[in-house]
Amino acid sequence: MLMPKKVKHRKQMRGRMRGVANRGSMISFGEYGLKTLEPAWITDRQIEAARIAMTRHIKRGGKIWIRMFPDKPVTKKPAETRMGKGKGAPEKWVAVVKPGRIMFEMAGVDEATAREAMGLAANKLPIPTKFIARAGGF
């Protein structure tokens, strides 16, 4: 699973997901992209499931870029534990995405194949997404 090698702080506050993405909102590497329409936390397992779905569909053709990284630790206290006694242990890693963020990019395949592959990836994600193509050539 994806996770940082080292972090400055072991636990983080939850934070807020207000506004739209001002970085990572344009297609930079590929020809096609998958854009978020709502804010969410995307877990390392969801990113991996979407990546596998896409790569299996394009069958070794083309290239995929993952434009997000799960660098936020989410903690959870054990079941049936009394209140107090501090914050729980880090349970999983999430990537915070805001509306307009490009999550995945793809190149080297035709649009129909890319659209289907991105659709399979979108089914693995907990938020509504939109398939987009780069405006004009390189």
Side-chain angles (χ1 to χ4, degrees):
M1 292 294 130
L2 287 171
M3 69 169 63
K5 288 187 183 84
K6 188 177 169 186
V7 288
K8 188 172 183 181
H9 300 289
R10 208 164 66 89
K11 297 174 184 178
Q12 254 185 47
M13 289 190 180
R14 285 182 174 83
R16 296 173 74 172
M17 293 183 280
R18 298 175 64 193
V20 295
N22 53 0
R23 287 169 181 240
S25 57
M26 303 286 282
I27 294 180
S28 303
F29 304 102
E31 299 165 30
Y32 310 105
L34 194 65
K35 184 181 255 195
T36 63
L37 299 176
E38 286 180 8
W41 282 354
I42 311 292
T43 67
D44 51 352
R45 288 167 165 260
Q46 289 163 347
I47 294 169
E48 186 64 10
R51 183 194 68 78
I52 289 167
M54 281 191 293
T55 51
R56 284 196 178 150
H57 187 76
I58 61 172
K59 296 191 184 99
R60 292 175 49 173
K63 180 156 173 54
I64 292 172
W65 289 268
I66 301 170
R67 296 280 312 275
M68 58 185 163
F69 187 79
D71 56 354
K72 183 185 186 72
V74 175
T75 62
K76 192 165 187 269
K77 294 189 84 165
E80 298 178 18
T81 305
R82 292 186 179 186
M83 291 291 101
K85 303 275 189 288
K87 193 171 180 176
E91 189 80 6
K92 58 186 175 186
W93 294 87
V94 298
V96 180
V97 295
K98 292 180 174 183
R101 177 72 186 228
I102 305 291
M103 294 189 292
F104 299 101
E105 289 188 26
M106 193 181 289
V109 293
D110 59 294
E111 187 171 343
T113 309
R115 194 177 287 273
E116 277 184 46
M118 294 280 191
L120 292 171
N123 289 337
K124 307 288 182 192
L125 300 170
I127 47 171
T129 57
K130 183 180 179 183
F131 175 82
I132 58 165
R134 183 190 282 260
F138 281 90

